[in-house]
Amino acid sequence: MATAAEPEPELEGEEIESGEEEDVSYPLTVHYCGVCTLPVEYCEFGPEYDKCKEWWKTNFPDIYLRVIEQGAADLSLESGGKKRQTRGGKALKKMKKKEVEKHITVGRAPRGKRKYVTVICGLNTFEIDLKKASKTFGSRFACGSSVTGPDEIVIQGDITDDLIDFIQEKWPEITEDSIDDVGELKQSKR
């Protein structure tokens, strides 16, 4: 280990291979971008690269010309003229929710020879939490209730008539017109 008193050994006759320029003077002067606040060498990885280039054009025209020349050289080296991928990419825009028809279907499906389950679909369109609704149905009708799909609740027993009335009481935004009693459903495969 070298101490402060010992000078570092000099390498004679070797060329610098790490890509450093030989005529570099220290301390280095680092130019920071006024738009993204990164050093100008890293602006291309920032979110507003086009605005950064405009800022360079007005404040550091020599850097702007160097970047334009380097960009042209990079494009000529790439095959097929494809854009190279930058880290991070563009942020995804939030998708607008599609207007889905608010409609609830209630039906019964056979569970055995004489037993039935009631199946409710469409509560999600009214932005009702299915787990809480399932718990409410189970406690109200004293039976088992579970969420079985992304928008489906299965309640043990044939309670379609009582269920339709209860849904309208519990959630007043659901009208009688938006609830459909489809009657008998096909037996689910188990």
Side-chain angles (χ1 to χ4, degrees):
M1 202 180 232
T3 60
E6 297 177 14
E8 293 185 13
E10 293 184 25
L11 302 174
E12 294 180 29
E14 292 187 23
E15 295 182 21
I16 300 174
E17 295 180 18
S18 63
E20 295 180 19
E21 297 177 14
E22 292 182 25
D23 59 337
V24 175
S25 63
Y26 292 97
L28 294 176
T29 305
V30 179
H31 299 286
Y32 291 92
C33 178
V35 177
C36 66
T37 67
L38 294 172
V40 293
E41 292 84 14
Y42 296 101
C43 282
E44 67 180 299
F45 303 111
E48 299 174 337
Y49 184 53
D50 295 330
K51 290 181 183 177
C52 292
K53 286 198 284 189
E54 292 299 319
W55 186 84
W56 298 342
K57 188 186 275 187
T58 57
N59 295 314
F60 296 109
D62 56 330
I63 293 175
Y64 177 74
L65 292 175
R66 185 181 70 200
V67 168
I68 296 299
E69 290 172 0
Q70 185 180 10
D74 288 346
L75 283 178
S76 65
L77 291 177
E78 291 179 3
S79 63
K82 294 181 183 178
K83 290 185 178 179
R84 64 185 174 99
Q85 183 177 359
T86 58
R87 296 187 78 188
K90 291 187 177 181
L92 295 175
K93 294 181 181 177
K94 290 186 178 179
M95 299 292 289
K96 292 182 180 179
K97 290 186 177 179
K98 294 180 181 177
E99 287 296 321
V100 180
E101 183 181 344
K102 294 185 175 186
H103 196 72
I104 297 175
T105 57
V106 178
R108 70 179 196 163
R111 187 170 68 101
K113 291 185 179 179
R114 296 183 312 188
K115 296 185 179 184
Y116 292 93
V117 291
T118 305
V119 180
I120 309 163
C121 297
L123 285 175
N124 232 1
T125 59
F126 288 93
E127 298 180 6
I128 295 172
D129 186 23
L130 295 180
K131 286 186 178 182
K132 290 181 181 177
S134 173
K135 179 111 175 156
T136 305
F137 296 145
S139 62
R140 169 70 169 87
F141 298 112
C143 60
S145 176
S146 63
V147 179
T148 58
D151 193 22
E152 181 179 77
I153 297 177
V154 174
I155 303 171
Q156 292 178 359
D158 181 12
I159 53 169
T160 54
D161 299 331
D162 297 332
L163 181 65
I164 292 171
D165 296 334
F166 178 70
I167 289 174
Q168 291 172 1
E169 286 175 23
K170 179 77 175 165
W171 295 285
E173 69 267 13
I174 301 175
T175 62
E176 190 173 346
D177 296 334
S178 61
I179 300 175
D180 226 4
D181 186 1
V182 293
E184 189 86 21
L185 297 173
K186 292 182 180 178
Q187 185 174 6
S188 61
K189 295 180 182 177
R190 293 180 191 219

